[in-house]
Amino acid sequence: MVIKTVNLETVCGVTSVLPKNERPEVAFAGKSNVGKSSLINALMNRKALARTSAQPGKTQTINFYNVNEELYLVDLPGYGYAKVSQQEKEQWGKLIERYLHGSASLRRVFLLVDIRHEPSANDRMMYDWIVHNGFEPVIIATKLDKIKRSQKDKQVKLIKEGLKVLPGTRIVPFSAQTKQGREEIWELISEAATAEKG
């Protein structure tokens, strides 16, 4: 996809009313520091559209990026960050659930998992939650450049087994550094955006 325009249109905190967007939305979920902001920047060909941070837990809001006035990329708050109070975690959880449950325009959910590690309990919970809300998440295995090429298949298998993914689930290995996987992710976004909501 050629990115002509992109802007951060809406930011929703825990008390915000979620926007009723007419255009299709695709959402990105993942634990803190899994590389969500880097992925969004890579997809948009922008250096600092989404704020990346070495400090996990930076995204505490749902951010709606309007792309080409055609669709929204939706950045969900990172989960599983230890230094956040239980109350805050619960608020973010409710915010994410409210969005997954309540958005009439949401077409597809991408779940980001670090390719270097077995999925955590939080990753499994998020995966099950997305499925429970009626979506078949596409898994993006981030930080591909941090492992040897020969390890890729083994690590993808580890993610499949760790999440107990549904048969036919797409797993896209991705590197924000090399942009490997970017085109495939855009294809999945475009396909979802043009499909009718079931």
Side-chain angles (χ1 to χ4, degrees), residues 5-143:
T5 61
V6 54
N7 63 60
L8 175 55
E9 189 173 286
T10 317
V11 176
C12 290
V14 288
T15 57
S16 309
V17 175
L18 292 167
K20 299 225 178 310
N21 291 322
E22 297 292 312
R23 299 183 185 96
E25 298 169 358
V26 292
F28 295 87
K31 69 173 174 229
S32 300
N33 244 6
V34 74
K36 242 177 337 80
S37 300
S38 301
L39 167 72
I40 287 170
N41 288 334
L43 287 174
M44 304 297 191
N45 279 335
R46 301 289 196 277
K47 282 274 188 294
L49 181 71
R51 289 197 304 271
T52 57
S53 168
Q55 179 197 355
K58 196 80 189 142
T59 307
Q60 301 181 9
T61 49
I62 298 183
N63 297 334
F64 291 81
Y65 295 95
N66 182 337
V67 184
N68 293 350
E69 299 294 323
E70 284 174 28
L71 64 110
Y72 289 94
L73 293 197
V74 183
D75 184 8
L76 299 174
Y79 55 82
Y81 182 45
K83 285 195 180 140
V84 174
S85 73
Q86 190 55 38
Q87 187 190 357
E88 269 188 287
K89 279 187 199 164
E90 282 169 14
Q91 284 182 320
W92 293 356
K94 286 194 180 104
L95 177 64
I96 296 171
E97 186 169 34
R98 191 156 57 98
Y99 171 67
L100 289 179
H101 210 65
S103 171
S105 301
L106 181 57
R107 297 286 190 270
R108 177 161 276 161
V109 182
F110 292 87
L111 177 61
L112 281 66
V113 179
D114 190 327
I115 199 165
R116 297 171 299 178
H117 310 295
E118 193 179 342
S120 67
N122 278 323
D123 290 328
R124 282 196 296 278
M125 196 167 77
M126 192 69 199
Y127 177 81
D128 291 343
W129 210 22
I130 294 167
V131 171
H132 177 72
N133 275 288
F135 295 94
E136 284 187 26
V138 173
I139 311 301
I140 300 178
T142 61
K143 309 190 190 246

Side-chain angles (χ1 to χ4, degrees), residues 135-151:
F135 295 94
E136 284 187 26
V138 173
I139 311 301
I140 300 178
T142 61
K143 309 190 190 246
L144 178 61
D145 49 285
K146 304 269 198 271
I147 61 167
K148 294 194 182 85
R149 228 175 237 175
S150 58
Q151 295 175 294

